[in-house]
Amino acid sequence: MALVEPLDDEQLNRVWSPILSPLAWDLGHIANFEELWLVQRIGGREPLRGELGRFYDAIENPRKVRGELPILRDEELRAYMADVRERTLDVLEGVEIGPDVEDPLLRDGFVYEMLLAHELQHDETMLQLLQLVPGYEPGRGAGHLSPGQTPGQLARRFEYPPVREMPRTPDTVVVKGGSYEVGAPANGFAYDNERPRHMVELESFEIDRTPVTNGAYVSYMEATGAEPPLYWERDGGGWVDVSRGRREPIDPAAPVIHVSWEQADGFARWAGKRLPTEFEWEAACGQLEGVGHGWEWTSSHFLAYPGFEAFPYREYSEVFFGDEYRVLRGASWATHPRVARPSFRNWDLPQRSQIFSGIRCARDA
Ligand code: AVJ
Ligand code: FE
């Protein structure tokens, strides 16, 4: 709610882009997902609005049609969100979680972690859309701290643009070939696509310690005529960032974001390098710097790990497996720390750049 506090209902309902949902859809979807998995599945209650749930099904309703759906809007939307949350808290009181609970949805509180992660990921999706809203600045006043959360963590989530310091000299991390363990351990929260943890064989490789900067990307554009990142516009001799209706000079030292996989792959080849595979990234990530400015494109397709089991539903990951999507690793400035971990796999289509996506190069050693 803090994220959308500066917006009015017209802005919440508007279709800003065919590849992003209206904000009202995300808000209703977050609440409906919570109702479905917790209030209905765990609490055994009837849905609050009957068949409404099917309009919030992400697979049945692709992003480009979501503006025309009879979804909840305005006061009705806010009332539904509040009703669901009240029921959620109610159900929570009567529920047992712990390592020995039989229901895998409840064991170790899986369903709660899933709902939190889901909401936080949609916050990032909403922030992608909010880049299209002129004058948008997140409403800090509406934020509240949850137990254990420091003001710094809340502020970091809302920081524009990425400001973490970059080391001066670009250099590389050398990783020796051999067997590496990848994926999420069997206990603790992770998505199904991160499991099972397993061994992979890697050849020796080098990976840049830092992500590609705006300055380096400009050199690539000048040398090859490649397209600029999304939200860049020419301004005199230089470039400005026009997201959120601003015109801010591009900082050549900051990592580049809003590039597609095609742009990232093109850059890497031009530089005489290549994108890392997702497993190279995971094996090296303990030594990388600048992780968290932007998601990092990898050369890997989004595929199931050997022994994969869909949980708790096929539509989270399984329906996206195949060679259509590319995997991104790491996190962006808009990713909540709670959902950032070395085994986390993000994915998108290779031509997309609305996500906060950047580049890190690798090469065979
Ligand atoms: C992991 C970001 C690709 O947006 O499709 C949200 C996250 N899954 N609701 C997506 C997700 C279900 C997912 N990504
Ligand atoms: Fe979702």
Side-chain angles (χ1 to χ4, degrees):
M1 296 316 285
L3 276 182
V4 298
E5 186 226 42
L7 282 78
D8 60 28
D9 283 330
E10 188 275 322
Q11 290 174 306
L12 293 179
N13 295 329
R14 187 138 126 206
V15 179
W16 296 84
S17 154
I19 61 164
L20 287 163
S21 325
L23 293 160
W25 189 90
D26 283 276
L27 294 172
H29 167 83
I30 291 167
N32 186 253
F33 194 78
E34 185 172 311
E35 188 188 20
L36 185 69
W37 287 100
L38 200 60
V39 181
Q40 296 175 234
R41 276 290 287 274
I42 303 295
R45 314 228 186 142
E46 288 300 313
L48 277 163
R49 307 277 156 121
E51 286 299 282
L52 176 86
R54 73 187 169 87
F55 301 117
Y56 293 113
D57 184 312
I59 303 293
E60 260 191 68
N61 308 284
R63 287 176 173 181
K64 62 177 185 297
V65 308
R66 291 176 189 169
E68 285 121 53
L69 297 171
I71 54 169
L72 295 172
R73 295 167 199 276
D74 317 335
E75 271 320 308
E76 242 198 312
L77 170 61
R78 283 181 280 275
Y80 173 67
M81 293 173 76
D83 286 351
V84 170
R85 186 52 57 89
E86 201 185 300
R87 289 179 152 219
T88 291
L89 296 177
D90 220 49
V91 169
L92 237 166
E93 272 181 33
V95 136
E96 284 264 10
I97 55 171
D100 303 319
V101 179
E102 215 184 305
D103 185 347
L105 272 180
L106 286 175
R107 196 179 308 141
D108 287 322
F110 181 90
V111 75
Y112 302 103
E113 287 293 340
M114 177 176 85
L115 293 173
L116 282 166
H118 182 255
E119 176 163 338
L120 294 171
Q121 284 186 258
H122 274 276
D123 284 352
E124 180 160 350
T125 314
M126 290 194 285
L127 278 162
Q128 291 169 21
L129 181 123
L130 289 162
Q131 303 311 302
L132 299 170
V133 179
Y136 175 77
E137 290 295 336
R140 287 164 193 273
H144 68 274
L145 299 179
S146 48
Q149 194 179 27
T150 65
Q153 280 174 304
L154 189 73
R156 190 162 347 118
R157 193 174 154 208
F158 289 155
E159 218 157 68
Y160 288 108
V163 291
R164 242 170 285 174
E165 227 177 90
M166 292 285 291
R168 262 161 295 269
T169 38
D171 66 339
T172 57
V173 174
V174 182
V175 179
K176 278 187 67 179
S179 294
Y180 288 87
E181 211 174 4
V182 295
N187 45 16
F189 177 79
Y191 283 111
D192 55 3
N193 64 57
E194 298 166 65
R195 291 189 167 127
R197 192 164 167 83
H198 63 288
M199 302 301 291
V200 292
E201 288 298 318
L202 299 179
E203 299 287 326
S204 297
F205 66 98
E206 292 178 19
I207 186 166
D208 291 352
R209 198 183 293 278
T210 58
V212 171
T213 61
N214 288 322
Y217 195 85
V218 168
S219 304
Y220 163 59
M221 290 194 298
E222 285 170 355
T224 66
E227 288 293 310
L230 189 62
Y231 305 125
W232 281 30
E233 246 176 48
R234 219 180 252 294
D235 187 78
W239 293 90
V240 288
D241 174 354
V242 297
S243 61
R244 294 180 279 127
R246 302 161 310 151
R247 294 193 73 80
E248 243 166 53
I250 295 291
D251 175 359
V256 68
I257 55 167
H258 287 302
V259 291
S260 66
W261 182 89
E262 285 156 3
Q263 289 169 311
D265 182 62
F267 177 93
R269 288 169 195 276
W270 171 76
K273 304 180 191 177
R274 59 173 173 79
L275 296 178
T277 67
E278 62 170 319
F279 298 139
E280 287 174 337
W281 191 95
E282 192 169 334
C285 77
Q287 300 168 75
L288 304 181
E289 288 174 38
V291 175
H293 287 277
W295 291 96
E296 301 178 18
W297 285 111
T298 73
S299 60
S300 303
H301 291 291
F302 187 49
L303 300 174
Y305 289 173
F308 167 84
E309 281 177 53
F311 181 76
Y313 65 115
R314 283 191 65 240
E315 289 72 22
Y316 188 82
S317 313
E318 197 177 353
V319 298
F320 298 101
F321 288 151
D323 53 17
E324 229 190 320
Y325 292 88
R326 297 283 176 166
V327 173
L328 302 101
R329 293 300 199 105
S332 82
W333 63 266
T335 312
H336 194 281
R338 187 170 195 129
V339 292
R341 55 182 169 268
S343 61
F344 189 95
R345 307 169 78 197
N346 200 356
W347 66 91
D348 213 324
L349 297 170
Q351 69 275 19
R352 290 291 160 82
S353 53
Q354 87 290 349
I355 54 173
F356 307 105
S357 47
I359 316 169
R360 185 188 302 267
C361 297
R363 59 149 70 96
D364 300 346

